[in-house]
Amino acid sequence: MEHSDQDRLIALAGLHQAAYCVQRIANRGSVDSAQMEPCIYSLFQIDAEDVASVYGEPGAVATGARQVVAQLTGEPQREMELTRYVVALMRHERNLAGRRKMAQEIARRIQGAADARGDLPLLDREVLAGLAGIYQDTISKLTPRIIVRGNPLYLQNPDNQDRIRALLLAGIRAALLWRQCGGSRWQVLLGRRKMLDAARAYLRDTESA
C-alpha cells in the first residue's frame, strides 16, 4: 500500500506526541489527558482502516504535529531532550524489528491487555500498569536503554512510572507506523519541506474542524 506525506506526518506526529507526554510527566508530574489518550489508544488499534484512524478523532496528534514544526523550524524553539527521545524510540523500534520473538510477545500481550481492559477508560491505572509491564519485560531489555530524565520527585512516583512506560511503548508503536509508511531519517532530512507542509496542513484542518 502506498502512503502519503500526510500518513507519514501523522505517524511522526504520534511519535513526537508520545515523547512530549513523557517529557511533561517527567518534568512536571502531569500531562493533559487529551494529549496522552491518543497515544495509548494507538496501542489497541491492531487492524486500523488507515493511518489517521490509529489515533482516533481528527486532530488527535495536533500536539505532536506542532512539535514536528518546532523541531524542523526552531520556532518557537527546538527541544533537544524531545529529539533525544524520538531518536531513541526510532532506534529501539529498528532493534525490535530484528527480534521476531520479542515482537510477537509484545503483540500477544497487547492483545491480552485489550481483552482484559473491557470497558475501563484508556487512562485507567490498571490499563496503564498492564501496558507498562509489557514495556518493562520487553523493550526495556534492549540496549542502550532509554533514559528518562526529569524531576526525581515525579520520576519516583509509581503511577508516573507506569504512564511513562506505557507512553514509551506507544512511541515504539508510532515509530513502527512511521517506518511502515515509508518514513526514514532521510525522509526528515531531505523531505523537510514536505513534512512541514503536511504538518501545517494537518494543523489547519484541525483548527477549521
Side-chain angles (χ1 to χ4, degrees):
M1 178 180 177
E2 189 171 338
H3 291 283
S4 66
D5 290 331
Q6 192 74 357
D7 288 339
R8 283 184 282 276
L9 177 276
I10 290 170
L12 190 61
L15 175 53
H16 278 73
Q17 190 152 313
Y20 174 85
C21 289
V22 167
Q23 188 180 32
R24 297 283 290 194
I25 294 169
N27 290 295
R28 303 192 181 190
S30 64
V31 68
D32 190 329
S33 60
Q35 296 169 336
M36 181 175 172
E37 195 165 282
C39 301
I40 303 305
Y41 178 86
S42 72
L43 287 168
F44 296 110
Q45 306 313 301
I46 310 300
D47 297 309
E49 291 183 5
D50 51 38
V51 173
S53 61
V54 169
Y55 291 98
E57 297 295 323
V61 290
T63 295
R66 291 188 189 96
Q67 298 307 311
V68 170
V69 172
Q71 296 300 86
L72 290 176
T73 65
E75 297 176 1
Q77 64 180 10
R78 291 187 180 90
E79 288 278 354
M80 296 312 297
E81 185 177 62
L82 187 71
T83 299
R84 181 174 67 82
Y85 291 140
V86 168
V87 170
L89 287 164
M90 285 182 169
R91 181 181 64 237
H92 272 54
E93 188 279 323
R94 288 195 298 270
N95 289 344
L96 182 63
R99 294 171 178 260
R100 186 177 177 184
K101 286 185 178 180
M102 182 179 286
Q104 290 174 336
E105 175 69 4
I106 292 170
R108 183 187 68 78
R109 288 186 60 179
I110 286 177
Q111 183 61 62
D115 294 339
R117 177 189 159 211
D119 295 327
L120 289 175
L122 282 168
L123 302 188
D124 182 85
R125 181 180 295 178
E126 289 185 24
V127 175
L128 296 176
L131 295 172
I134 297 172
Y135 178 87
Q136 196 166 17
D137 294 342
T138 56
I139 304 298
S140 70
K141 308 298 183 186
L142 300 176
T143 55
R145 295 181 67 180
I146 298 176
I147 304 299
V148 175
R149 298 189 177 96
N151 187 320
L153 179 66
Y154 302 136
L155 291 174
Q156 290 165 10
N157 180 289
D159 287 341
N160 284 342
Q161 291 173 2
D162 284 346
R163 291 197 291 169
I164 286 171
R165 287 174 180 139
L167 284 163
L168 291 174
L169 187 63
I172 296 291
R173 164 71 163 113
L176 172 61
L177 184 62
W178 162 252
R179 184 166 58 82
Q180 290 173 333
C181 290
S184 68
R185 184 175 64 172
W186 295 109
Q187 279 268 335
V188 178
L189 294 175
L190 301 180
R192 178 174 172 274
R193 173 52 58 187
K194 286 185 177 181
M195 280 294 100
L196 268 177
D197 288 346
R200 286 167 173 159
Y202 181 87
L203 291 170
R204 280 197 303 271
D205 290 345
T206 298
E207 291 163 1
S208 63

